[in-house]
Amino acid sequence: MHLKWKNWTHVTKLDPDKHLNPGAIEEVATSGTDAILLSGTLNVTPENLTALREQVEGYGIPLVVEPADTDGALFDGVDMLFVPSVLNTPDSRWVVGKHQRWALECPDIPWNLVVPEAYVVLNPNSAVGRVTGAVCDLSPAEVAAYARCAEHYFRFPIIYIEYSGMYGDPAVVKAAAEAIDDATLYYGGGINSAERAAEMGKYADTIVVGNAVYEAGVETLKATVRAVQ
Ligand SMILES: CC(C)=CCC/C(C)=C/CC/C(C)=C/CC/C(C)=C/COP(=O)(O)OP(=O)(O)O
Ligand SMILES: O=P(O)(O)OC[C@@H](O)CO
Ligand SMILES: [Mg+2]
């Protein structure tokens, strides 16, 4: 079933490689966030992904797996799969190579549950930045050009400005927003306050909050929800 994911303004990203106690999980699931993204770059295994999914299921909140590799593309018990392609890397494995291997190895991909994401990774110090070899020193205009061709040439439904682990440059997100017509713009990276959520929420259709859940706690998460909903 295809959820109305285009209406989401706030998504919480939980990392299978990190731990939250049951009380915190309940507060995340009832925080008002529109969906939970089960996603991480390092050390995601079928076991820890399944364990996290079992913690967050049953609250009636949309669950989306965002795999970092083909063996993480598990869709049992979740509503959708958001699959990244990192556009700003010279390493084509992260653009299309992994995806071709996936199509080769998995005959029964539920394509109707798959939503492709055009990632522009801009924090060289994040796990995703290191793993993918992303070229991060881009001007707002250069990022906007990725956003424009992602929507109008590659026809990606989501463009994701990814600063994972650091708070990004609002001018970059503004430029990307101005370059996009109908695609959905995601922003994630360093959102740990209502102010930051509101600032990026001016430009992005959907903001993603990850690390703050683990580092600042659920009250901070709720403040970021209130800022955009
Ligand atoms: C083709 C299939 C099924 C999978 C491959 C999908 C691709 C190309 C993924 C590349 C980008 C990537 C690794 C995305 C993972 C999601 C993500 C950006 C997680 C960010 O979390 P971390 O970068 O781990 O943050 P921390 O450093 O805080 O752990
Ligand atoms: O962890 P943070 O910095 O909130 O970033 C969220 C998400 O964009 C990570 O992929
Ligand atoms: Mg991680």
Side-chain angles (χ1 to χ4, degrees), residues 41-214:
T41 302
L42 302 174
N43 316 315
V44 176
T45 65
E47 293 72 28
N48 64 27
L49 180 57
T50 302
L52 178 58
R53 195 241 311 142
E54 286 169 352
Q55 278 192 297
V56 296
E57 66 189 6
Y59 289 99
I61 185 166
L63 302 180
V64 179
V65 162
E66 184 183 64
D69 214 323
T70 47
D71 53 18
L74 303 173
F75 30 83
D76 300 342
V78 296
D79 299 297
M80 294 168 74
L81 220 57
F82 282 13
V83 179
S85 277
V86 177
L87 298 189
N88 62 316
T89 174
D91 184 347
S92 64
R93 287 179 299 168
W94 302 102
V95 188
V96 66
K98 299 265 182 191
H99 313 69
Q100 183 263 354
R101 176 143 296 284
W102 188 34
L104 184 64
E105 290 167 357
C106 302
D108 58 347
I109 294 171
W111 294 109
N112 63 313
L113 301 183
V114 174
V115 178
E117 301 170 301
Y119 259 73
V120 182
V121 175
L122 295 172
N123 177 5
N125 303 314
S126 64
V128 60
R130 283 192 303 275
V131 163
T132 61
V135 177
C136 300
D137 53 344
L138 299 175
S139 68
E142 288 171 318
V143 173
Y146 271 118
R148 198 188 314 278
C149 80
E151 176 179 16
H152 294 299
Y153 177 78
F154 290 104
R155 307 249 193 270
F156 278 95
I158 293 177
I159 286 93
Y160 194 129
I161 306 294
E162 171 66 293
Y163 277 89
S164 182
M166 72 179 272
Y167 189 62
D169 178 357
V172 164
V173 187
K174 182 172 186 289
E178 289 165 355
I180 289 170
D181 299 323
D182 302 322
T184 298
L185 182 63
Y186 268 56
Y187 171 83
I191 294 182
N192 60 8
S193 70
E195 294 69 25
R196 287 184 171 185
E199 179 170 50
M200 293 302 186
K202 285 204 301 265
Y203 309 120
D205 299 301
T206 309
I207 61 167
V208 181
V209 177
N211 283 336
V213 178
Y214 303 92

